[in-house]
Structure formats: structure tokens, C-alpha cells
């Protein structure tokens, strides 16, 4: 996608169009928020998008409070708007529910990066890779941009055999 190619401004109208067809998809609202956060438009446009993602994710959790993937994504959204305690509570709950889920580990790691908890994030990224999360997606994810050049992150790259 354009997000993974760092073409954020081009991706924005496509996410808006997708939301016309799926207005209750919390993941799309979260993707739109992440894209605004990285775009030239700036973080101020991301906040209401994260708020929508959180509200819609909560509706999902009202139906299934044990949905670890939703809990982890909601933790990411809270982390991105600075709700540290809420984010940590959500990701710790998600990881207790699904310690072997690569998406839960990965999205919890992106939340931790947003919170500046780099060592914990690296541990979860290591776990996500071990569980099968694709390195090429991890490498392209703008949510990990601030750690991409760190030796600890570079050390995660799978060895070519």
C-alpha cells in the first residue's frame, strides 16, 4: 500500500474513500489516523481519527472483550494520542490473553514505540517475527520509523541462508 511506501499524502484520499464503504471499520479509522500522523497534514488531523477508531474498537470489545488483536490495536491508538496508562493497560491485557499471537505482539510493539518503550518494543518485535510476522512489512511500517536505524532493530533482520 501507499502507507508502506511512505506516500502518506497520496494514501489519505484512498482511506477516506474506503471509509465511505465501511464506516464502522475501526481498523480503517486507525490506518487513516496513522497515515495522518505521518503526512504533511500533521498530527492534529490524526487525533479525531484515532478517537473514532477507539470508539469503534470499543464497540467490538463490548461484544467480545477477549479479542486480543482489537485490544492491542486499541492500545496502539491510545499510545499515539498520548494516553500512556490506558495504552499500557490494553496491551498488557492483550498479551495476557494471546501471548502467541503475532498480530497482538506486533501491534503492542508499535504502541510501545509510540510510548518510547524501545527495549520492550524490540522484545515484542522479536516475538512477532518468531511467530511468523513478515520482516518486510515490519521494515516498511512507518510506525517503527524512529527505531528503524537502531542496531537493536537492525539485528532483528532474519539471516539469509
Amino acid at each position: 500500500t501507499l502507507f508502506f511506501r511512505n506516500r502518506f499524502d497520496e494514501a489519505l484520499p484512498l482511506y477516506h474513500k474506503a471509509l465511505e464503504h465501511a464506516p464502522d471499520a475501526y481498523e480503517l479509522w486507525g490506518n487513516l489516523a496513522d497515515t495522518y500522523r505521518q503526512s504533511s497534514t500533521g498530527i492534529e488531523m490524526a487525533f479525531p481519527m484515532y478517537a473514532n477508531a477507539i470508539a469503534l474498537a470499543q464497540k467490538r470489545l463490548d461484544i467480545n472483550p477477549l479479542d486480543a488483536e482489537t485490544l492491542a490495536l486499541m492500545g496502539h491508538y491510545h499510545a499515539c494520542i498520548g494516553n500512556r496508562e490506558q495504552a499500557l493497560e490494553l496491551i498488557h491485557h492483550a498479551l495476557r490473553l494471546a501471548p502467541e499471537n503475532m498480530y497482538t505482539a506486533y501491534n503492542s510493539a508499535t504502541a510501545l514505540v509510540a510510548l518510547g518503550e524501545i527495549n520492550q518494543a524490540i522484545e515484542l518485535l522479536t516475538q512477532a517475527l518468531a511467530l511468523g510476522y513478515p520482516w518486510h512489512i515490519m521494515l516498511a511500517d512507518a510506525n517503527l520509523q524512529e527505531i528503524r536505524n537502531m542496531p537493536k532493530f537492525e539485528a532483528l533482520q532474519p539471516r539469509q541462508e
Side-chain angles (χ1 to χ4, degrees):
T1 69
L2 294 172
F3 180 84
F4 289 108
R5 293 183 181 148
N6 294 330
R7 294 167 56 188
F8 308 113
D9 292 335
E10 293 174 61
L12 289 170
L14 299 176
Y15 279 121
H16 281 285
K17 187 71 168 167
L19 281 165
E20 290 176 16
H21 300 287
D24 295 330
Y26 78 90
E27 300 97 330
L28 283 176
W29 284 102
N31 290 343
L32 178 61
D34 285 341
T35 304
Y36 268 118
R37 190 164 55 102
Q38 302 294 333
S39 75
S40 64
T41 306
I43 187 79
E44 61 279 349
M45 287 299 296
F47 281 94
M49 306 308 150
Y50 282 125
N52 283 341
I54 290 167
L56 291 167
Q58 185 58 56
K59 286 183 181 181
R60 169 86 58 93
L61 292 172
D62 289 344
I63 296 167
N64 180 6
L66 303 178
D67 183 343
E69 290 181 24
T70 298
L71 286 163
L73 278 171
M74 203 166 158
H76 169 79
Y77 305 149
H78 276 285
C80 290
I81 60 173
N83 294 339
R84 181 180 185 79
E85 294 307 315
Q86 185 71 23
L88 290 171
E89 182 180 316
L90 287 161
I91 62 175
H92 289 131
H93 185 49
L95 292 166
R96 280 193 305 277
L97 288 171
E100 300 298 318
N101 181 304
M102 69 177 166
Y103 300 109
T104 299
Y106 184 79
N107 291 317
S108 296
T110 64
L112 289 167
V113 168
L115 295 172
E117 299 292 340
I118 304 307
N119 289 332
Q120 290 177 320
I122 293 291
E123 288 176 23
L124 287 173
L125 292 171
T126 301
Q127 180 181 347
L129 283 170
L131 293 169
Y133 199 87
W135 167 252
H136 69 278
I137 293 176
M138 191 179 292
L139 188 60
D141 191 344
N143 290 308
L144 301 178
Q145 181 175 338
E146 67 184 83
I147 67 167
R148 198 173 290 139
N149 293 323
M150 291 182 176
K152 288 181 180 183
F153 181 78
E154 291 172 349
L156 295 175
Q157 182 170 0
R159 304 278 185 249
Q160 299 295 328
E161 297 183 24

